[in-house]
Amino acid sequence: MANYFNTLPLREQLAQLAQCEFMNADEFTDGVDALKGKKLVIVGCGAQGLNQGLNLRDSGLDVSYTLRDSAISERRQSFLNASENGFTVGTYQELIPTADVVLNLTPDKQHTSVVNAIMPLMKQGSTLAYSHGFNIVEEGMQVRDDITVIMVAPKCPGSEVREEYKRGFGVPTLIAVHPENDPQGHGLAQAKAYAAGTGGHRAGVLKSSFIAEVKSDLMGEQTILCGMLQTGSILCFDKMIEKGIDAGYASKLIQYGWEVITEALKYGGVTNMLDRLSNPAKVKAFELSEELKQIMRPLYNKHQDDIIDGTFSRTMMEDWNNDDANLLKWRAETAETHFEKTPAGNVEIAEQEFFDNGILMVAMVKAGVELAFETMTAAGIIAESAYYESLHETPLIANTIARKKLFEMNRTISDTAEYGCYLYNHACLPLLQDFMQKIDTDVIGKGLGEHSNQVDNQTLIQINTALREHPVEKVGATLRGYMSAMKKIV
Ligand SMILES: NC(=O)C1=CN([C@@H]2O[C@H](COP(=O)(O)OP(=O)(O)OC[C@H]3O[C@@H](n4cnc5c(N)ncnc54)[C@H](OP(=O)(O)O)[C@@H]3O)[C@@H](O)[C@H]2O)C=CC1
Ligand SMILES: CC[C@](O)(C(C)=O)C(=O)O
Ligand SMILES: [Mg+2]
Ligand SMILES: [Mg+2]
């Protein structure tokens, strides 16, 4: 199989990268109708599988699960997830031939073998759905001509897909139809109904392409969403220990700090996050983030370039073929970091203190969000999609660190995201070594304290303007506006 993106002529690559359109709420008036009465069979019952299935069933659709034989006979967690929630569970032979739509929600690494196993069993004219386009775009999976191939990709971890649905809302979702596999022309109607069934239509749906989804999703997860938070956690923690800050305090400041800081991002973007700081702290955070952006820009460009030309996927697939040797080694190394091994202390940290004593963390989030957004849009990804993959999803990933540190983040995200996260971390740690030499506890651990509260008017005006004028803030304001308007309707 060849990398599908690399087989396309340049103009087609560019057209598909730029394919992304925010859909109006009135395009979802039919709700789940296109899938009503159809049999949906989900392969895999993990992070996305379980949570999407629960939402789809609550939306009135007929959902069951198929698992590999060993998962059923050994009553593994995926079997328990499905059966204890009252779903029918069966083997591929039992359920795939009955399915109108097969939702492939197994890890990306398994897609080729899973699709090769289920395809011969699939009904004539049925549909194969994905939540990430890696298999189609990077591996060039060829699907039988009579089968429709769609994607419904929630822009968040599986746990949030369910939590938002239970709140009567949903999560922003990207949908697509593979142009090579839409024999009956109903791919879009089915993808819309599937997105509505998960609740995604209440938060905002982007009509996009498999290619745009893959090239933006990989970029977001490797850089700001997971990589930057991992690197930032390790560097900030080690610096505080080096400077004599209590280990329990340092551990708590970071473990919960990302969540508190990025909550401000969720409500009012980078501007609001920096507005939570005093004026001198804001100036400091801005200056640090500008320096960070300059140092890290080549790394962000490299990640995007390697994703676009297929270098990243080739490298990761080599690791797949080597029994995940690197992934497993890097996972074990992460578990051994000082940050990961130091429990959060039993100390009270007030909400504002996370900002005041975490100026460097604020600077890292700002730098990472803006760089990821700038790099994606420079590569042809549309601003709305780049926003979801940089700013929007950062708080959702930060929540996972608050639960159980980097272990929880890397457990919750896909294996593909975890691999890319470590790759970024290994490159970024040495890159920031000199920068970190100059860092002291005024920006991480203790705050600016009683230092002069004076700022230069012109400097402050320039900083506020730069913050508010950044393109991620413009598109963010519009998209957050849609989300809150839609939330009120529910
Ligand atoms: N994690 C996330 O939040 C997000 C994931 N996605 C995408 O969703 C898809 C699913 O990812 P995710 O939910 O993380 O996956 P998980 O790792 O959580 O999936 C695990 C499930 O897949 C099954 N499985 C594993 N290997 C095989 C195999 N060889 N054959 C059959 N079943 C297998 C497991 O069953 P068993 O018990 O047999 O091992 C289990 O039910 C991916 O394409 C991912 O990119 C998209 C957005 C976010
Ligand atoms: C963290 C990245 C993600 O793409 C996601 C949760 O959206 C993944 O692959 O896990
Ligand atoms: Mg994603
Ligand atoms: Mg992903």
Side-chain angles (χ1 to χ4, degrees):
M1 291 190 302
N3 182 308
Y4 170 67
F5 178 77
N6 290 349
T7 63
L8 297 176
L10 178 64
R11 65 185 166 282
E12 185 58 22
Q13 291 179 332
L14 296 175
Q16 291 211 33
L17 272 174
Q19 199 176 316
C20 181
E21 189 187 309
F22 190 86
M23 299 182 79
N24 288 324
D26 62 12
E27 295 185 67
F28 291 92
T29 45
D30 291 342
V32 297
D33 285 359
L35 294 177
K36 212 76 209 201
K38 300 214 179 292
K39 200 159 179 45
L40 275 55
V41 174
I42 302 182
V43 195
C45 193
Q48 289 293 327
L50 173 62
N51 293 299
Q52 290 189 26
L54 289 166
N55 291 4
L56 292 166
R57 181 175 66 181
D58 287 352
S59 296
L61 296 174
D62 176 358
V63 178
S64 48
Y65 285 87
T66 185
L67 303 173
R68 51 183 164 174
D69 294 350
S70 53
I72 299 174
S73 60
E74 292 167 20
R75 298 176 66 82
R76 280 209 293 267
Q77 191 57 48
S78 49
F79 175 80
L80 298 178
N81 286 347
S83 54
E84 287 176 359
N85 279 292
F87 289 103
T88 297
V89 183
T91 60
Y92 293 173
Q93 284 74 12
E94 286 166 342
L95 291 185
I96 297 287
T98 70
D100 298 300
V101 184
V102 176
L103 288 67
N104 175 16
L105 294 175
T106 58
D108 301 298
K109 178 189 170 186
Q110 308 301 340
H111 284 187
T112 293
S113 72
V114 167
V115 173
N116 282 333
I118 61 175
M119 202 158 31
L121 300 171
M122 285 178 73
K123 261 204 284 201
Q124 190 75 17
S126 57
T127 295
L128 175 65
Y130 290 87
S131 281
H132 182 43
F134 193 93
N135 186 231
I136 293 289
V137 175
E138 303 294 322
E139 296 187 276
M141 172 53 74
Q142 305 280 314
V143 181
R144 236 171 51 205
D145 287 349
D146 61 289
I147 293 176
T148 303
V149 176
I150 62 173
M151 178 170 47
V152 173
K155 296 288 103 189
C156 74
S159 47
E160 300 304 313
V161 172
R162 184 62 182 157
E163 287 312 308
E164 280 297 323
Y165 185 92
K166 287 199 287 190
R167 280 183 214 121
F169 200 54
V171 300
T173 299
L174 194 147
I175 65 172
V177 181
H178 186 33
E180 317 283 335
N181 282 85
D182 193 15
Q184 301 172 64
H186 64 200
L188 181 60
Q190 291 195 338
K192 278 166 55 182
Y194 176 175
T198 63
H201 67 311
R202 301 198 195 99
V205 173
L206 297 178
K207 185 166 66 177
S208 185
S209 68
F210 271 68
I211 285 172
E213 189 274 340
V214 169
K215 304 297 185 184
S216 58
D217 189 78
L218 294 176
M219 181 62 187
E221 66 198 24
Q222 291 177 17
T223 58
I224 175 58
L225 298 182
C226 308
M228 188 73 245
L229 295 187
Q230 169 139 347
T231 302
S233 297
I234 293 169
L235 289 178
C236 291
F237 181 81
D238 289 349
K239 175 55 68 171
M240 283 191 272
I241 300 307
E242 177 200 320
K243 295 288 175 183
I245 303 244
D246 173 69
Y249 180 87
S251 174
K252 188 163 189 177
L253 187 73
I254 291 166
Q255 181 174 350
Y256 298 96
W258 298 121
E259 183 181 45
V260 174
I261 287 168
T262 59
E263 182 77 1
L265 199 62
K266 183 161 98 191
Y267 283 96
V270 176
T271 303
N272 184 54
M273 180 175 69
L274 267 83
D275 281 350
R276 292 297 310 269
L277 296 168
S278 69
N279 282 332
K282 181 194 266 188
V283 173
K284 195 79 195 160
F286 185 87
E287 288 168 356
L288 288 171
S289 84
E290 289 301 295
E291 203 179 334
L292 283 167
K293 281 178 77 172
Q294 207 179 344
I295 300 168
M296 296 192 301
R297 191 178 295 280
L299 180 60
Y300 278 65
N301 286 339
K302 175 166 170 42
H303 275 262
Q304 187 70 84
D305 291 350
D306 288 353
I307 289 166
I308 295 280
D309 74 8
T311 303
F312 163 73
S313 57
R314 187 171 33 76
T315 313
M316 183 174 67
M317 287 190 284
E318 280 166 12
D319 199 45
W320 290 355
N321 294 332
N322 194 23
D323 296 329
D324 295 316
N326 282 333
L327 178 77
L328 297 176
K329 179 166 144 276
W330 298 339
R331 187 182 286 167
E333 283 168 7
T334 300
E336 290 304 311
T337 57
H338 203 176
F339 166 64
E340 210 58 6
K341 288 176 89 169
T342 308
N346 190 16
V347 273
E348 204 48 51
I349 304 184
E351 199 246 10
Q352 185 57 41
E353 191 176 329
F354 282 105
F355 289 92
D356 298 339
N357 292 0
I359 297 170
L360 177 60
M361 295 167 76
V362 172
M364 285 176 168
V365 171
K366 174 185 177 300
V369 165
E370 290 182 355
L371 274 177
F373 180 89
E374 289 167 22
T375 315
M376 278 188 249
T377 50
I381 302 294
I382 295 303
E384 284 81 354
S385 186
Y387 169 83
Y388 286 138
E389 284 298 346
S390 55
L391 197 150
H392 166 83
E393 207 170 332
T394 302
L396 301 172
I397 301 296
N399 294 344
T400 65
I401 298 181
R403 291 208 292 272
K404 272 196 198 151
K405 297 193 161 195
L406 300 174
F407 164 81
E408 179 70 4
M409 175 181 81
N410 286 310
R411 188 183 71 87
T412 308
I413 60 179
S414 65
D415 294 355
T416 305
E418 183 183 7
Y419 182 92
C421 164
Y422 298 145
L423 213 55
Y424 174 94
N425 180 54
H426 292 142
C428 197
L429 285 174
L431 197 62
L432 293 183
Q433 206 177 8
D434 289 348
F435 169 87
M436 288 304 294
Q437 293 287 338
K438 301 176 295 182
I439 293 294
D440 212 329
T441 53
D442 57 339
V443 292
I444 187 70
K446 290 190 177 162
L448 299 184
E450 295 303 306
H451 292 173
S452 163
N453 204 25
Q454 202 178 319
V455 286
D456 174 61
N457 280 324
Q458 285 304 334
T459 306
L460 191 59
I461 290 166
Q462 278 165 11
I463 286 174
N464 282 333
T465 307
L467 287 171
R468 285 159 177 71
E469 292 300 315
H470 192 281
V472 77
E473 293 298 89
K474 301 257 161 121
V475 70
T478 309
L479 291 174
R480 285 193 297 275
Y482 290 152
M483 280 189 75
S484 51
M486 289 187 273
K487 212 159 194 166
K488 278 184 203 125
I489 296 167
V490 174

